[in-house]
Amino acid sequence: MLLALGGAAGWSAARSIQQTFYTQQLGDLGYFVTTARQSLLAGSTAVFDAEAARFQEVYGTQVAVFDLSGGVWAASDIASSRPLSETQGEQVVQALSGRRAEVPTPAQPWVVADLSLVEPVFDDGDVIGAVMISATGEAARVAIARQVTIFAVIAVVSIALGIGLVFQLARWVLSPVRRLDEAMVAIEHGAMDARVDVDTGPPELRRATQVFNGMADEIERVVARQQEFAANASHELRNPLNALLLRVEYLATGLGPEWDGDVEETRQEGRRMTEILETLLALTRSGRGDSTFSAVDLTALAARRAGAWREVAAQRGITLNAYGGDAVLSVTDRMIVESALDALIDNAVKFSPDGGVVDLRAARDGVECSITVRDHGPGLTPDQAVQAADRFWRGADGDDVPGSGLGLAIATDLMRSIGGDLLVSPADGGGLQVALRLRDGRAE
């Protein structure tokens, strides 16, 4: 807007200076036409020569009088008079024929060229001569340049002040937004006590800041309660678990060698439960869990977890098959993969019919490793398979099966925490196939 207004003001000022210059030349020309008529009628150039010489001295404008033959009869400076140009010659001929001078109308107001105007001298309606005035437009050009410069400086200074004011206003308006963003980033990184000052900014944003602080307080209270619950639960479970492991060791002393395998499996499950509880306690203390990555043989891991679930599956006559083969090595967190795989096996056993079969298989495909659990239960449609990993989702055929609908959702979260994912899809021939997929960075 300032540029547009400044440009319009500069254009108007330049046009005014241009018109003033032309009007002034026409006025001077009219004055010398009167003087020239008197001199021509008197047959003397004395009066005209004196006024024309003084005029040229003061304004730098040349004045000349032509007789009916087209020759110079008198001039402000005869000695310095140069031959007429072709245009000037045409103007003199037209004036001697009785045509008055016409002021040029340039398209650009800032263009002021040197000007030559010729006016006929009449006496009782007859042309007795012509007067030519030749003026330079340098003064008008300087005046236009000065005006344009002034308007440009004013516009630039005004724009600079406006930009400074806008930035200050924007900083004042957006400062609460920046602080809100910084607080949200801090909360995302675990600083649950991050809050935003509500003393600055527009009233609308102050209200938003107050709402955010209230929301952050509530989130902090909820997270604190969750951490307290997890800490209390893990602590209360650890003591009975230790007592149970001691009883296992005590009972193992009275059992025969044929029980050594079962006792060792019980010890391993106990140690695994202890690791889970220790991880849960560390998570509640630090606010985040640190995954321990190591080389894991997924084939052996699948076989081990199948063995741990066989007794549970056997109660309903379900067979767990863990297909062996070459070792499938992946750098991952063993405990997280085992926990996710347990959720898949539990889901497959629950939804398999009595006497059914559940197959476990580990495989590698390029840089991707996977453990697939396939059952022969009722299965899901493709649309249902997309929703199967949502929290609390249960199929229509699973209402009579105990469960909360969290198993696959928890397994999905566990896999995402180590950069993997979970894929649910209908199996060929019926049933459901769920795969834990891990991207192995060693193979890249």
Side-chain angles (χ1 to χ4, degrees):
M1 290 177 62
L2 287 172
L3 284 175
L5 291 174
W11 185 91
S12 177
R15 175 67 74 181
S16 176
I17 293 173
Q18 185 188 68
Q19 294 297 333
T20 300
F21 171 74
Y22 292 150
T23 302
Q24 183 179 3
Q25 303 313 311
L26 284 174
D28 294 338
L29 181 60
Y31 172 79
F32 281 106
V33 165
T34 301
T35 304
R37 183 172 62 250
Q38 295 173 355
S39 299
L40 286 170
L41 292 176
S44 172
T45 63
V47 176
F48 176 84
D49 288 342
E51 291 185 1
R54 179 60 179 169
F55 190 78
Q56 181 175 356
E57 180 183 353
V58 175
Y59 299 105
T61 301
Q62 292 184 348
V63 184
V65 179
F66 298 87
D67 55 21
L68 291 175
S69 64
V72 178
W73 181 72
S76 56
D77 187 0
I78 294 291
S80 62
S81 296
R82 291 174 295 178
L84 298 179
S85 65
E86 182 178 353
T87 302
Q88 290 174 332
E90 292 177 355
Q91 289 178 316
V92 170
V93 172
Q94 291 176 357
L96 291 176
S97 65
R99 294 184 58 183
R100 295 183 176 276
E102 295 181 359
V103 179
T105 56
Q108 295 84 11
W110 52 87
V111 176
V112 181
D114 294 343
L115 180 66
S116 293
L117 296 176
V118 182
E119 184 81 6
V121 179
F122 292 96
D123 180 47
D124 292 334
D126 297 326
V127 177
I128 61 173
V131 177
M132 183 176 69
I133 185 170
S134 300
T136 176
E138 183 63 27
R141 289 193 289 269
V142 171
I144 290 175
R146 184 187 306 112
Q147 290 293 325
V148 171
T149 302
I150 292 174
F151 282 117
V153 170
I154 292 175
V156 170
V157 172
S158 300
I159 290 173
L161 292 176
I163 290 175
L165 179 61
V166 167
F167 271 102
Q168 290 295 329
L169 180 61
R171 187 177 295 110
W172 177 72
V173 171
L174 296 178
S175 58
V177 178
R178 286 195 296 269
R179 290 197 297 271
L180 281 171
D181 180 69
E182 293 170 358
M184 287 188 287
V185 172
I187 291 176
E188 181 184 12
H189 288 83
M192 302 304 298
D193 58 343
R195 298 295 182 271
V196 181
D197 186 11
V198 297
D199 294 337
T200 59
E204 296 81 4
L205 289 180
R206 294 185 188 183
R207 173 62 179 165
T209 300
Q210 292 175 351
V211 173
F212 171 81
N213 287 340
M215 180 184 64
D217 291 337
E218 184 62 25
I219 292 175
E220 185 178 16
R221 284 194 295 270
V222 171
V223 171
R225 291 188 190 123
Q226 290 178 343
Q227 291 178 340
E228 290 174 1
F229 172 78
N232 293 337
S234 59
H235 179 75
E236 294 298 326
L237 288 174
R238 186 169 54 177
N239 291 334
L241 180 60
N242 290 334
L244 180 62
L245 291 177
L246 288 175
R247 288 181 180 273
V248 170
E249 295 297 334
Y250 175 74
L251 292 174
T253 59
L255 299 175
E258 67 275 11
W259 293 92
D260 289 349
D262 294 329
V263 171
E264 182 59 29
E265 288 184 3
T266 305
R267 290 193 187 108
Q268 290 179 0
E269 288 298 313
R271 287 193 291 268
R272 181 170 169 273
M273 289 295 298
T274 301
E275 291 177 359
I276 293 175
L277 291 177
E278 292 295 338
T279 301
L280 188 58
L281 275 175
L283 179 62
T284 58
R285 294 192 186 103
S286 64
R288 55 168 298 189
D290 294 323
S291 298
T292 302
F293 285 84
S294 60
V296 178
D297 183 354
L298 300 182
T299 302
L301 185 147
R304 186 167 57 253
R305 298 318 302 157
W309 280 86
R310 278 198 177 96
E311 292 296 330
V312 177
Q315 296 177 6
R316 294 178 48 214
I318 297 174
T319 302
L320 285 179
N321 294 327
Y323 293 95
D326 296 336
V328 178
L329 295 178
S330 176
V331 178
T332 186
D333 188 304
R334 178 189 300 274
M335 188 178 67
I336 288 180
V337 175
E338 286 182 343
S339 300
L341 184 57
D342 283 345
L344 268 58
I345 297 174
D346 177 57
N347 189 76
V349 170
K350 284 193 299 186
F351 288 94
S352 291
D354 294 345
V357 177
V358 176
D359 300 324
L360 281 73
R361 189 186 305 273
R364 172 185 290 279
D365 182 10
V367 297
E368 185 177 275
C369 303
S370 64
I371 302 178
T372 304
V373 178
R374 190 242 202 261
D375 63 55
H376 294 77
L380 298 173
T381 65
D383 292 338
Q384 291 175 329
V386 175
Q387 307 176 56
D390 295 342
R391 288 185 175 272
F392 305 110
W393 185 89
R394 291 172 61 83
D397 299 333
D399 293 339
D400 57 343
V401 179
S404 59
L406 288 173
L408 295 183
I410 293 174
T412 300
D413 292 340
L414 289 172
M415 294 303 296
R416 287 175 179 170
S417 69
I418 56 174
D421 64 352
L422 181 144
L423 178 63
V424 182
S425 59
D428 295 336
L432 192 67
Q433 178 174 288
V434 187
L436 303 178
R437 301 191 299 184
L438 298 163
R439 186 174 179 82
D440 189 2
R442 298 181 307 105
E444 296 180 352

